[in-house]
Amino acid sequence: MPMRMKSTFTQPVRQTNGRRSVLRVLALCAGALFLAGCGLFSGAEATPTPTRPMAAVVPTFTSTPEGAMAAQESGAGATTQQAAPAAAQQQAPAATETPAPTDTPVPTVARFTVKTDLTAANVNVRTGPSTAFNIIGTVTRGAQFEISGRNQEYTWFQFCCVAGQTGWIFSNLVNVENAHLISLAQNIPATPTPVPPTATPIPPTPVPAPVNVDHCAGIGGDGCKFWLRDTDPADNGGGELKLLIGFVHGWRNDEVQIHGGYFVELQKDGVQVSGFDHSTRAGTNIIEGPKGRIYHYDKSVSASQLPGGSVAGTYTIWVKDGSGERDSQNYNFTLHGNQGLVWLVFDQRPR
């Protein structure tokens, strides 16, 4: 029975304590609401708390003991190895190699081409830089060779090879490429001096007169290719000697052919006249003269430069081709007083 009474007594107490707890919580909540309401309805503004500006983070470096460093390296090794490929992929792509520009080839040799507008089909090649040397062979028009040297005056070029020998060719017969590369030839042979024939007394023997005398036999070069057809001296005051020449083929026919590249050598009273050499050649500028428009060689020398100091005298003239070889026999004409202008016609067609 006592146990029942105790149970009956304690049941209300538990209920009473529960109510007190609830009331206590409600009281606290009401107090909190009251305090909050006072702040809201009082009209006072909340003062904002000043915000401190963010400071820049500056990395600092602190020395790490060797033991700690080893630990960090062991712990971070895998991460570093994994990050390395990614960092390598983020690097700038390697620059592609650009091929170096190709330079223009620099010429290393000089060469010549035999002119194609020459009268002769073949050009003589000699053993030295002069027509006094022997001929070792010929080269055709349009042929090309490398130049191995030159003479002092740039008038002859050395090259290889003709008939297995190093030869020389006259400069006016060729067109040269890269002339600045041509150097003076080594061991240029000396020009041979003609040996006068030894006079041998020949007993007088009756010799029959030849029927047809070849006046061009033994003159050298290509023999007679031109014959003097006409000479017309005229008075020009005597202050200079002026030659106007036509090198033609068949000038008495309807079809006259003009030949350029030829020149003459001239003597007065047995003395060589300066200036009449390969430096002046027949060109293509045609001049009207006594025999028509067939004159294309024009050369003048003042009387003071002539032997004797005047134009009067006896002259000897002959023709040479582009390589400096004789192409006619000697012809003579005489001038008197003030006759200084001379018109001449050399024809390739025999009479």
Side-chain angles (χ1 to χ4, degrees):
M1 286 296 293
M3 290 297 296
R4 291 179 182 178
M5 290 179 62
K6 184 177 182 178
S7 175
T8 303
F9 178 78
T10 58
Q11 184 67 29
V13 172
R14 290 179 178 176
Q15 293 178 355
T16 302
N17 291 337
R19 292 191 185 100
R20 290 178 180 175
S21 298
V22 172
L23 291 177
R24 188 177 300 169
V25 171
L26 291 176
L28 291 175
C29 291
L33 292 174
F34 176 77
L35 293 176
C38 290
L40 293 173
F41 293 104
S42 63
E45 294 183 357
T47 303
T49 302
T51 304
R52 184 177 181 180
M54 182 177 295
V57 178
V58 179
T60 59
F61 300 91
T62 306
S63 59
T64 305
E66 295 182 355
M69 179 63 70
Q72 292 178 2
E73 291 179 351
S74 62
T79 304
T80 302
Q81 292 176 357
Q82 294 175 357
Q89 295 177 359
Q90 294 178 0
Q91 292 179 357
T96 58
E97 183 178 355
T98 303
T102 303
D103 295 334
T104 302
V106 178
T108 57
V109 296
R111 56 174 51 89
F112 71 78
T113 303
V114 180
K115 292 182 178 179
T116 58
D117 58 351
L118 301 175
T119 303
N122 297 317
V123 175
N124 291 334
V125 179
R126 298 182 176 272
T127 57
S130 170
T131 56
F133 289 93
N134 294 329
I135 298 174
I136 60 175
T138 61
V139 290
T140 60
R141 291 180 295 182
Q144 189 176 87
F145 295 90
E146 291 185 3
I147 300 173
S148 58
R150 57 167 176 82
N151 65 343
Q152 189 69 39
E153 296 79 14
Y154 280 87
T155 54
W156 290 79
F157 296 125
Q158 183 190 62
F159 69 99
C160 184
C161 293
V162 173
Q165 301 182 54
T166 299
W168 292 80
I169 191 168
F170 190 55
S171 62
N172 286 3
L173 302 178
V174 299
N175 295 318
V176 178
E177 300 176 20
N178 306 319
H180 63 285
L181 299 176
I182 306 174
S183 59
L184 184 65
Q186 301 296 321
N187 302 321
I188 299 177
T191 303
T193 303
V195 179
T198 303
T200 303
I202 301 175
T205 303
V207 178
V211 177
N212 294 318
V213 179
D214 184 4
H215 298 286
C216 296
I219 67 172
D222 296 331
C224 283
K225 293 178 65 175
F226 285 95
W227 288 263
L228 182 62
R229 290 288 178 259
D230 197 84
T231 304
D232 295 297
D235 193 334
N236 67 345
E240 65 176 3
L241 173 65
K242 183 178 182 66
L243 298 187
L244 292 165
I245 304 175
F247 298 96
V248 301
H249 182 85
W251 70 276
R252 293 186 183 277
N253 301 327
D254 293 335
E255 296 181 3
V256 178
Q257 299 178 9
I258 306 298
H259 295 287
Y262 292 92
F263 64 95
V264 296
E265 289 195 5
L266 186 69
Q267 292 180 354
K268 180 192 174 188
D269 299 329
V271 180
Q272 194 80 13
V273 178
S274 176
F276 287 88
D277 51 28
H278 61 81
S279 61
T280 302
R281 298 173 180 270
T284 58
N285 184 24
I286 309 301
I287 305 171
E288 183 76 24
K291 299 300 182 292
R293 292 180 55 80
I294 59 175
Y295 302 89
H296 55 117
Y297 174 97
D298 186 357
K299 178 68 176 179
S300 301
V301 174
S302 64
S304 60
Q305 295 178 330
L306 294 172
S310 68
V311 296
T314 299
Y315 295 82
T316 302
I317 190 170
W318 61 93
V319 180
K320 285 192 171 183
D321 65 10
S323 60
E325 296 182 347
R326 178 188 284 268
D327 270 355
S328 80
Q329 64 187 43
N330 293 349
Y331 293 98
N332 299 321
F333 61 90
T334 302
L335 301 181
H336 303 282
N338 295 328
Q339 291 179 331
L341 176 61
V342 186
W343 303 82
L344 303 103
V345 177
F346 283 96
D347 189 3
Q348 285 188 342
R349 178 172 293 181
R351 292 182 186 273

